[in-house]
Structures are given as C-alpha cells and as structure tokens.
Amino acid sequence: MKARRARGVVAALAALAFTTLSAACGGSETAGTATASGGGDKLAEVRLGFFPNITHATALVGVEKGLFAKHLGSTKLTTSTFNAGPAAIEAIFSGAVDATYIGPNPAINAWAKSKGKAIKIIAGAASGGVSLVVKPEIKSVEDLRGKKIATPQLGNTQDVALRYWLQQKGLKTDTKGGGDVGIVPQENSQTLQTFATGDIDGAWVPEPFASRLVLESKGRVLVDERDLWPDKQFVITHLIVRQDFAAEHPETVRQLLEGHVEANAAIEADPADAAKTVNAALAELTGKPLKQEVLDRAFANITFTDDPIASSLTASADHAIKIGLLQPVDLNGIYDLSVLNRIHKAKGRPEIADR
C-alpha cells in the first residue's frame, strides 16, 4: 500500500486509553465543528485507522487508490489496522490515531465514556454485511441453547447485536461466556479456525468472515442482520474523528472527507474494480487474498454509503443499554455532518440527515 502502516495496536494502548482520555478530549469547548478553513493546516501527518474487513472497503479503496493522499497533498497519511472497535477506540483515546473507521457501538461507548468530548461521527461508510453463521445442524434459535458462538470482541458492534438478539429470543448470556448461549469473543481470523475445528458452533461476524465460514467451512446463515432492520439498512461502518484534532485541523478533516467521498463513489461506479482493489489490500494486510467466490458473495451483502443511517445508531445504543453493556446516554451532538454535506452540495448530491 502507498501509506506506511503501523499494524495493530500495541498492548500498552489499553493502559494508556483511560489515563490519557482527558488529554485526548482537550479543546472540547470548541471542538467538533470541522469547518474548512480555506487554507492548508500545514500538518505533517494524519493517522487513520480501519479494519482489514470488506465492511471497511471505503478505507481500503481510499488508501490503495491513493484517493486520501491526493486530497491530503503534502500531509502524510499513516494507517493502523484493528480487529475490532474497542481496540480502535483505545487508539483514539490515547491519541495514537486521529480518525478511524469503526462500527456504531464502540463509537457510542467512546461518546459516553468521554461525556461527549472525545469524538464526532463525520460520515457513514457501509451498511449491512453481517451474519450469524452456524453449523449446518443448527436450524433455529432454540438449537443455540448450550452452544458457543463467537463475536469479534466483547462490546463491539457484532457482540452487542448478538447479545440483544438472543435476549429478544429469551436466551440469557453473560460477559464470562456463561448463560444459555456461551459467547466467545475472539479475533475474526481465529474464529475461522475454531469454527472449522468445531470448538465453536457459530459466529456473528462481518464480511468477509461470514462468507468464508459459509463457503470454506460449510456453515449456514441463521441470521442475516439486514433482516432485523427497517428497509434492511443499518450502519456497520462509519468514520469518526477526534474532536480536538477536528478543531485544530479542520482543513485536514475536509481533505480526508474528500477522499472518503471519492472512495465511496469509486466503489459505486465500478464495484468489480473496487472488489479487486480491496482484495489486493487484504492480501497485503492478512497475507493472502480472498477467493473470488468469497469476494463476490461478501460485496453483494454490503451497501457502501456516505449516509451514517443515524436512526440505527440510536437503536444500537438502546440495544447495548438493554443488555447491560451501556448506561443510558444522550447521543445529541454525536454527529457533525456539516463538512460532508458541503462536499455533497458541491457535487450536487442530497444533504444527509443526522437523525
């Protein structure tokens, strides 16, 4: 890839996350309004996070095709990859990254823990692309009783979705892997192995892992998460930025968003080329490309959009509260779509609502 990558997050970030939170939230009195300044920020480097998942294709296409770099000009783009949202939020809190692609629930948690001072959601990226894939003999939710189901990380978006869905079906879970269904948080790459060996019975995971479980290990889709949402639309990936960074470097934020919008437009204009680009990026990040059938199936399950589908974020917060992983939180102000909407207006596109 064209940008230098710091792969993963060092263990020390976990310790740094909360001790440096107050520093990460500095300047919050004026932060959050990323207004283009007209001149360059003269920033040497901007650090962007994302996951090596197809649900993060906006980032992968933007980096691989040099779209971010084109708009950032002399500002260097440095990237970091994460397995799941909580790790990315640790990097945001510690100041290790300036912006990151991430799912809804970790963004909600960051907003709640920082009392609305750490982050802003500045664009949507993707909808859909998540499934509960299980062993072929599991035919219904009742068959999950006594089984082990994996999620990418405790408290991440898929973890919340699974726990809430099971609760709605009358099945209990806890954060220790007990209850009617044992939930096992583990990295997605590990889930591919544990599902194949029979150590787990299923997994609620994003693409391309859902498709790999189906096509490579003969799993069956018990739940396509799109079926649980109005119009089959829900945010799976959006772009967040540190508020202090946005306040100090509004022009850089605008440039980053210009690259973001162009990346999603490129995906929409030529999905086949975008899929090829994403596969090349995944090959570099993970060591091997996806099989064509996996790539095709995964891309077909995702809608790439600048719209963060704000209504689904509110619902996700409600779900996390109901399963006991989040205290009630006021999400008013979590979005700042002002710069995104100015970019859209300049391109003759409709304005995106933040509620």
Side-chain angles (χ1 to χ4, degrees):
M1 285 189 174
K2 298 176 178 63
R4 178 174 59 86
R5 286 196 177 84
R7 299 179 187 272
V9 183
V10 296
L13 282 179
L16 285 170
F18 297 103
T19 58
T20 62
L21 175 56
S22 58
C25 298
S28 60
E29 292 298 319
T30 58
T33 305
T35 305
S37 61
D41 285 331
K42 297 182 179 179
L43 187 65
E45 176 187 50
V46 60
R47 299 161 301 171
L48 178 68
F50 56 86
F51 306 173
N53 295 350
I54 291 182
T55 52
H56 287 229
T58 308
L60 295 169
V61 168
V63 171
E64 196 73 12
K65 285 185 172 293
L67 303 179
F68 293 123
K70 179 179 78 172
H71 290 284
L72 286 168
S74 61
T75 298
K76 180 181 180 180
L77 178 69
T78 299
T79 63
S80 298
T81 59
F82 305 95
N83 174 68
I89 291 301
E90 289 171 3
I92 282 282
F93 279 180
S94 70
V97 297
D98 306 307
T100 189
Y101 287 85
I102 200 167
N105 290 95
I108 293 167
N109 289 336
W111 179 262
K113 289 177 181 177
S114 68
K115 302 186 186 305
K117 296 180 179 179
I119 62 101
K120 288 281 188 178
I121 298 169
I122 58 173
S127 168
V130 182
S131 297
L132 171 57
V133 181
V134 296
K135 294 294 185 181
E137 61 270 20
I138 297 176
K139 307 293 186 183
S140 69
V141 64
E142 263 309 308
D143 292 339
L144 293 174
R145 194 178 294 273
K147 300 297 193 295
K148 292 182 179 180
I149 306 297
T151 63
Q153 192 169 356
L154 175 64
N156 97 308
T157 299
Q158 288 77 54
D159 188 72
V160 169
L162 172 60
R163 292 176 190 275
Y164 177 75
W165 180 76
L166 290 172
Q167 182 188 78
Q168 294 301 105
K169 299 298 182 181
L171 295 176
K172 296 179 180 179
T173 65
D174 63 38
T175 58
K176 304 295 183 182
D180 298 321
V181 180
I183 298 180
V184 184
Q186 57 187 218
E187 291 195 5
N188 292 322
S189 58
Q190 183 183 357
T191 291
L192 296 174
Q193 300 171 2
T194 53
F195 186 79
T197 59
D199 292 327
I200 61 171
D201 303 289
W204 194 296
V205 286
E207 296 291 2
F209 302 98
S211 287
R212 289 190 65 182
L213 292 176
V214 170
L215 296 173
E216 296 174 5
S217 296
K218 310 304 180 187
R220 65 182 300 270
V221 175
L222 186 64
V223 178
D224 181 332
E225 193 175 338
R226 290 177 296 186
D227 295 334
L228 306 180
W229 293 92
D231 301 320
K232 296 182 180 292
Q233 294 290 309
F234 67 99
V235 59
I236 181 60
T237 309
H238 48 209
L239 178 60
I240 67 172
V241 66
R242 289 190 357 248
Q243 285 191 26
D244 58 342
F245 182 84
E248 294 168 10
H249 305 288
E251 176 66 2
T252 301
V253 172
R254 183 194 64 77
Q255 292 166 340
L256 197 65
L257 278 171
E258 291 276 10
H260 169 95
V261 170
E262 190 170 343
N264 267 348
I267 296 171
E268 181 180 5
D270 194 342
D273 179 69
K276 182 179 178 181
T277 299
V278 167
N279 210 17
L282 293 177
E284 183 176 340
L285 289 167
T286 67
K288 56 186 281 189
L290 296 172
K291 297 177 182 177
Q292 191 63 45
E293 61 177 350
V294 173
L295 189 66
D296 292 343
R297 185 184 186 281
F299 251 80
N301 290 332
I302 306 169
T303 300
F304 297 97
T305 174
D306 295 337
D307 189 341
I309 315 173
S311 60
S312 69
L313 185 79
T314 303
S316 291
D318 182 62
H319 297 170
I321 291 167
K322 288 180 177 177
I323 61 173
L325 289 182
L326 179 70
Q327 294 297 313
V329 57
D330 182 2
L331 296 179
N332 184 46
I334 194 171
Y335 291 100
D336 183 355
L337 305 183
S338 59
V339 179
L340 177 67
N341 278 323
R342 281 199 293 276
I343 294 170
H344 269 223
K345 183 178 180 179
K347 295 178 181 294
R349 298 181 184 179
E351 183 173 328
I352 295 173
D354 61 3
R355 57 181 54 83

